[in-house]
Amino acid sequence: GCSTGCAAPVPTRHVMRRAEPPEVERAVALRADEPRVRRMAGEKVLQYNLKMKVSEAEWQFDRNKLTIYFTAERRVDFRELVRDLARTFRTRIELKQIGVRDEAALLGGGGRCGRELCCSSWLRELKPVSLQLAKDQRLSLNPAQISGCCGRLMCCLTYEPDSYVAAPKRFPREGKTLITTTGREKVVGGDIWRERVFLRD
């Protein structure tokens, strides 16, 4: 996976030994150099007038390869850019296109809940999220209310969809007329988590 813990498969390789102090220092120096590399790569993109946005840069530990992550709406011909970057950084260049959800996982940040983004902290797989999930949970369908930092529907909408579908089945549906101690009353709403039904006579 990437250095910032993005939603990538868990590495299957085993730990051979603890890193020696010089190796730790080298890794820290590489991470510290990545913002400069990202900035320079962004300037090169502007120079070649390419429709892409550089999201992150990552040095391989031995500096034999530099991976640059980018987002773009369409396919981009970046052959000239790769040659220029290889001359500039004197190493092998890999340009890797990612989606906006992957970009949010790569860069990290805070969600609407106030906690660190799930995709950048613990979520290992980014599953598709549909608008039907928001409808099942009776959420506002305003995109600003149900979208995450990436501009897509929030991943947490997929966490408990079965509960939101099953819970309302225990209650009378809206519009149904019930006979209560006060007479005939119509169901106008409900709160499945507080176990309440709202009636109007």
PDB file of all heavy atoms in Angstrom, residues 176-196:
ATOM      1  N   LYS A 176     -51.191   4.290   6.768  1.00  0.00           N
ATOM      2  CA  LYS A 176     -52.109   3.262   7.255  1.00  0.00           C
ATOM      3  C   LYS A 176     -52.953   3.810   8.408  1.00  0.00           C
ATOM      4  O   LYS A 176     -52.475   4.589   9.221  1.00  0.00           O
ATOM      5  CB  LYS A 176     -51.323   2.038   7.720  1.00  0.00           C
ATOM      6  CG  LYS A 176     -52.199   0.869   8.125  1.00  0.00           C
ATOM      7  CD  LYS A 176     -51.377  -0.353   8.446  1.00  0.00           C
ATOM      8  CE  LYS A 176     -52.274  -1.524   8.806  1.00  0.00           C
ATOM      9  NZ  LYS A 176     -51.509  -2.748   9.097  1.00  0.00           N
ATOM     10  N   THR A 177     -54.214   3.399   8.479  1.00  0.00           N
ATOM     11  CA  THR A 177     -55.105   3.832   9.557  1.00  0.00           C
ATOM     12  C   THR A 177     -55.155   2.761  10.634  1.00  0.00           C
ATOM     13  O   THR A 177     -55.347   1.574  10.346  1.00  0.00           O
ATOM     14  CB  THR A 177     -56.520   4.102   9.019  1.00  0.00           C
ATOM     15  OG1 THR A 177     -56.435   5.122   8.019  1.00  0.00           O
ATOM     16  CG2 THR A 177     -57.454   4.559  10.135  1.00  0.00           C
ATOM     17  N   LEU A 178     -54.954   3.174  11.888  1.00  0.00           N
ATOM     18  CA  LEU A 178     -54.966   2.262  13.022  1.00  0.00           C
ATOM     19  C   LEU A 178     -56.138   2.588  13.946  1.00  0.00           C
ATOM     20  O   LEU A 178     -56.572   3.740  14.042  1.00  0.00           O
ATOM     21  CB  LEU A 178     -53.656   2.373  13.808  1.00  0.00           C
ATOM     22  CG  LEU A 178     -52.349   2.110  13.051  1.00  0.00           C
ATOM     23  CD1 LEU A 178     -51.170   2.303  13.982  1.00  0.00           C
ATOM     24  CD2 LEU A 178     -52.334   0.711  12.452  1.00  0.00           C
ATOM     25  N   ILE A 179     -56.630   1.580  14.637  1.00  0.00           N
ATOM     26  CA  ILE A 179     -57.661   1.771  15.641  1.00  0.00           C
ATOM     27  C   ILE A 179     -56.972   1.802  16.996  1.00  0.00           C
ATOM     28  O   ILE A 179     -56.341   0.821  17.422  1.00  0.00           O
ATOM     29  CB  ILE A 179     -58.704   0.632  15.611  1.00  0.00           C
ATOM     30  CG1 ILE A 179     -59.298   0.484  14.209  1.00  0.00           C
ATOM     31  CG2 ILE A 179     -59.808   0.894  16.643  1.00  0.00           C
ATOM     32  CD1 ILE A 179     -60.042   1.696  13.711  1.00  0.00           C
ATOM     33  N   THR A 180     -57.038   2.939  17.686  1.00  0.00           N
ATOM     34  CA  THR A 180     -56.426   3.085  19.007  1.00  0.00           C
ATOM     35  C   THR A 180     -57.515   3.349  20.038  1.00  0.00           C
ATOM     36  O   THR A 180     -58.697   3.384  19.712  1.00  0.00           O
ATOM     37  CB  THR A 180     -55.410   4.255  19.006  1.00  0.00           C
ATOM     38  OG1 THR A 180     -56.128   5.490  18.870  1.00  0.00           O
ATOM     39  CG2 THR A 180     -54.415   4.118  17.871  1.00  0.00           C
ATOM     40  N   THR A 181     -57.122   3.548  21.290  1.00  0.00           N
ATOM     41  CA  THR A 181     -58.098   3.803  22.356  1.00  0.00           C
ATOM     42  C   THR A 181     -58.838   5.115  22.144  1.00  0.00           C
ATOM     43  O   THR A 181     -59.901   5.324  22.713  1.00  0.00           O
ATOM     44  CB  THR A 181     -57.386   3.841  23.724  1.00  0.00           C
ATOM     45  OG1 THR A 181     -56.320   4.788  23.668  1.00  0.00           O
ATOM     46  CG2 THR A 181     -56.817   2.464  24.072  1.00  0.00           C
ATOM     47  N   THR A 182     -58.250   6.012  21.331  1.00  0.00           N
ATOM     48  CA  THR A 182     -58.914   7.295  21.072  1.00  0.00           C
ATOM     49  C   THR A 182     -59.670   7.298  19.748  1.00  0.00           C
ATOM     50  O   THR A 182     -60.227   8.315  19.357  1.00  0.00           O
ATOM     51  CB  THR A 182     -57.870   8.444  21.066  1.00  0.00           C
ATOM     52  OG1 THR A 182     -56.910   8.184  20.034  1.00  0.00           O
ATOM     53  CG2 THR A 182     -57.173   8.558  22.407  1.00  0.00           C
ATOM     54  N   GLY A 183     -59.639   6.181  19.029  1.00  0.00           N
ATOM     55  CA  GLY A 183     -60.366   6.095  17.762  1.00  0.00           C
ATOM     56  C   GLY A 183     -59.439   5.795  16.592  1.00  0.00           C
ATOM     57  O   GLY A 183     -58.354   5.248  16.759  1.00  0.00           O
ATOM     58  N   ARG A 184     -59.882   6.169  15.375  1.00  0.00           N
ATOM     59  CA  ARG A 184     -59.103   5.914  14.156  1.00  0.00           C
ATOM     60  C   ARG A 184     -58.023   6.980  14.003  1.00  0.00           C
ATOM     61  O   ARG A 184     -58.316   8.171  14.060  1.00  0.00           O
ATOM     62  CB  ARG A 184     -60.040   5.930  12.935  1.00  0.00           C
ATOM     63  CG  ARG A 184     -61.096   4.831  12.961  1.00  0.00           C
ATOM     64  CD  ARG A 184     -62.118   5.041  11.854  1.00  0.00           C
ATOM     65  NE  ARG A 184     -61.537   4.872  10.533  1.00  0.00           N
ATOM     66  CZ  ARG A 184     -61.391   3.691   9.923  1.00  0.00           C
ATOM     67  NH1 ARG A 184     -61.799   2.583  10.515  1.00  0.00           N
ATOM     68  NH2 ARG A 184     -60.864   3.622   8.722  1.00  0.00           N
ATOM     69  N   GLU A 185     -56.801   6.535  13.809  1.00  0.00           N
ATOM     70  CA  GLU A 185     -55.681   7.470  13.649  1.00  0.00           C
ATOM     71  C   GLU A 185     -54.808   6.999  12.483  1.00  0.00           C
ATOM     72  O   GLU A 185     -54.670   5.799  12.241  1.00  0.00           O
ATOM     73  CB  GLU A 185     -54.857   7.581  14.930  1.00  0.00           C
ATOM     74  CG  GLU A 185     -55.644   8.139  16.106  1.00  0.00           C
ATOM     75  CD  GLU A 185     -54.762   8.431  17.295  1.00  0.00           C
ATOM     76  OE1 GLU A 185     -54.175   9.534  17.323  1.00  0.00           O
ATOM     77  OE2 GLU A 185     -54.641   7.574  18.174  1.00  0.00           O
ATOM     78  N   LYS A 186     -54.218   7.982  11.806  1.00  0.00           N
ATOM     79  CA  LYS A 186     -53.409   7.705  10.614  1.00  0.00           C
ATOM     80  C   LYS A 186     -51.922   7.778  10.958  1.00  0.00           C
ATOM     81  O   LYS A 186     -51.479   8.690  11.671  1.00  0.00           O
ATOM     82  CB  LYS A 186     -53.750   8.715   9.524  1.00  0.00           C
ATOM     83  CG  LYS A 186     -53.108   8.452   8.175  1.00  0.00           C
ATOM     84  CD  LYS A 186     -53.587   9.497   7.170  1.00  0.00           C
ATOM     85  CE  LYS A 186     -52.990   9.238   5.791  1.00  0.00           C
ATOM     86  NZ  LYS A 186     -53.440  10.259   4.810  1.00  0.00           N
ATOM     87  N   VAL A 187     -51.131   6.826  10.459  1.00  0.00           N
ATOM     88  CA  VAL A 187     -49.677   6.830  10.668  1.00  0.00           C
ATOM     89  C   VAL A 187     -49.058   7.903   9.769  1.00  0.00           C
ATOM     90  O   VAL A 187     -49.216   7.857   8.548  1.00  0.00           O
ATOM     91  CB  VAL A 187     -49.069   5.453  10.348  1.00  0.00           C
ATOM     92  CG1 VAL A 187     -47.542   5.491  10.526  1.00  0.00           C
ATOM     93  CG2 VAL A 187     -49.678   4.363  11.218  1.00  0.00           C
ATOM     94  N   VAL A 188     -48.369   8.865  10.385  1.00  0.00           N
ATOM     95  CA  VAL A 188     -47.757   9.954   9.607  1.00  0.00           C
ATOM     96  C   VAL A 188     -46.227   9.900   9.639  1.00  0.00           C
ATOM     97  O   VAL A 188     -45.559  10.675   8.962  1.00  0.00           O
ATOM     98  CB  VAL A 188     -48.244  11.335  10.103  1.00  0.00           C
ATOM     99  CG1 VAL A 188     -49.729  11.505   9.834  1.00  0.00           C
ATOM    100  CG2 VAL A 188     -47.925  11.530  11.585  1.00  0.00           C
ATOM    101  N   GLY A 189     -45.674   8.989  10.432  1.00  0.00           N
ATOM    102  CA  GLY A 189     -44.220   8.897  10.490  1.00  0.00           C
ATOM    103  C   GLY A 189     -43.789   7.950  11.578  1.00  0.00           C
ATOM    104  O   GLY A 189     -44.618   7.340  12.260  1.00  0.00           O
ATOM    105  N   GLY A 190     -42.489   7.811  11.743  1.00  0.00           N
ATOM    106  CA  GLY A 190     -41.977   6.928  12.778  1.00  0.00           C
ATOM    107  C   GLY A 190     -40.504   7.168  13.037  1.00  0.00           C
ATOM    108  O   GLY A 190     -39.816   7.807  12.242  1.00  0.00           O
ATOM    109  N   ASP A 191     -40.033   6.696  14.161  1.00  0.00           N
ATOM    110  CA  ASP A 191     -38.624   6.783  14.538  1.00  0.00           C
ATOM    111  C   ASP A 191     -38.202   5.371  14.932  1.00  0.00           C
ATOM    112  O   ASP A 191     -38.491   4.916  16.045  1.00  0.00           O
ATOM    113  CB  ASP A 191     -38.442   7.758  15.701  1.00  0.00           C
ATOM    114  CG  ASP A 191     -36.974   7.998  16.030  1.00  0.00           C
ATOM    115  OD1 ASP A 191     -36.150   7.122  15.707  1.00  0.00           O
ATOM    116  OD2 ASP A 191     -36.665   9.056  16.596  1.00  0.00           O
ATOM    117  N   ILE A 192     -37.551   4.671  14.014  1.00  0.00           N
ATOM    118  CA  ILE A 192     -37.249   3.256  14.241  1.00  0.00           C
ATOM    119  C   ILE A 192     -36.267   3.057  15.385  1.00  0.00           C
ATOM    120  O   ILE A 192     -36.292   2.024  16.052  1.00  0.00           O
ATOM    121  CB  ILE A 192     -36.714   2.584  12.949  1.00  0.00           C
ATOM    122  CG1 ILE A 192     -35.439   3.269  12.462  1.00  0.00           C
ATOM    123  CG2 ILE A 192     -37.779   2.565  11.878  1.00  0.00           C
ATOM    124  CD1 ILE A 192     -34.808   2.601  11.241  1.00  0.00           C
ATOM    125  N   TRP A 193     -35.399   4.038  15.643  1.00  0.00           N
ATOM    126  CA  TRP A 193     -34.389   3.850  16.685  1.00  0.00           C
ATOM    127  C   TRP A 193     -34.937   4.153  18.075  1.00  0.00           C
ATOM    128  O   TRP A 193     -34.466   3.601  19.059  1.00  0.00           O
ATOM    129  CB  TRP A 193     -33.160   4.706  16.383  1.00  0.00           C
ATOM    130  CG  TRP A 193     -32.624   4.436  15.010  1.00  0.00           C
ATOM    131  CD1 TRP A 193     -32.533   5.299  13.964  1.00  0.00           C
ATOM    132  CD2 TRP A 193     -32.159   3.174  14.506  1.00  0.00           C
ATOM    133  NE1 TRP A 193     -32.038   4.668  12.848  1.00  0.00           N
ATOM    134  CE2 TRP A 193     -31.804   3.359  13.148  1.00  0.00           C
ATOM    135  CE3 TRP A 193     -32.025   1.907  15.063  1.00  0.00           C
ATOM    136  CZ2 TRP A 193     -31.310   2.330  12.352  1.00  0.00           C
ATOM    137  CZ3 TRP A 193     -31.530   0.878  14.274  1.00  0.00           C
ATOM    138  CH2 TRP A 193     -31.181   1.098  12.938  1.00  0.00           C
ATOM    139  N   ARG A 194     -35.935   5.008  18.170  1.00  0.00           N
ATOM    140  CA  ARG A 194     -36.569   5.277  19.464  1.00  0.00           C
ATOM    141  C   ARG A 194     -37.848   4.453  19.656  1.00  0.00           C
ATOM    142  O   ARG A 194     -38.550   4.619  20.645  1.00  0.00           O
ATOM    143  CB  ARG A 194     -36.888   6.769  19.594  1.00  0.00           C
ATOM    144  CG  ARG A 194     -35.653   7.649  19.713  1.00  0.00           C
ATOM    145  CD  ARG A 194     -36.051   9.102  20.016  1.00  0.00           C
ATOM    146  NE  ARG A 194     -34.895   9.937  20.201  1.00  0.00           N
ATOM    147  CZ  ARG A 194     -34.250  10.572  19.225  1.00  0.00           C
ATOM    148  NH1 ARG A 194     -34.676  10.440  17.969  1.00  0.00           N
ATOM    149  NH2 ARG A 194     -33.204  11.323  19.466  1.00  0.00           N
ATOM    150  N   GLU A 195     -38.131   3.589  18.656  1.00  0.00           N
ATOM    151  CA  GLU A 195     -39.294   2.704  18.737  1.00  0.00           C
ATOM    152  C   GLU A 195     -40.592   3.509  18.873  1.00  0.00           C
ATOM    153  O   GLU A 195     -41.436   3.211  19.724  1.00  0.00           O
ATOM    154  CB  GLU A 195     -39.139   1.736  19.928  1.00  0.00           C
ATOM    155  CG  GLU A 195     -37.900   0.886  19.883  1.00  0.00           C
ATOM    156  CD  GLU A 195     -38.085  -0.412  19.102  1.00  0.00           C
ATOM    157  OE1 GLU A 195     -39.209  -0.921  19.094  1.00  0.00           O
ATOM    158  OE2 GLU A 195     -37.117  -0.873  18.486  1.00  0.00           O
ATOM    159  N   ARG A 196     -40.767   4.536  18.040  1.00  0.00           N
ATOM    160  CA  ARG A 196     -41.940   5.383  18.133  1.00  0.00           C
ATOM    161  C   ARG A 196     -42.657   5.435  16.777  1.00  0.00           C
ATOM    162  O   ARG A 196     -42.023   5.393  15.735  1.00  0.00           O
ATOM    163  CB  ARG A 196     -41.563   6.812  18.534  1.00  0.00           C
ATOM    164  CG  ARG A 196     -41.034   6.933  19.956  1.00  0.00           C
ATOM    165  CD  ARG A 196     -40.597   8.349  20.224  1.00  0.00           C
ATOM    166  NE  ARG A 196     -40.077   8.502  21.588  1.00  0.00           N
ATOM    167  CZ  ARG A 196     -39.500   9.618  22.029  1.00  0.00           C
ATOM    168  NH1 ARG A 196     -39.352  10.668  21.215  1.00  0.00           N
ATOM    169  NH2 ARG A 196     -39.054   9.685  23.266  1.00  0.00           N
TER     170      ARG A 196
END
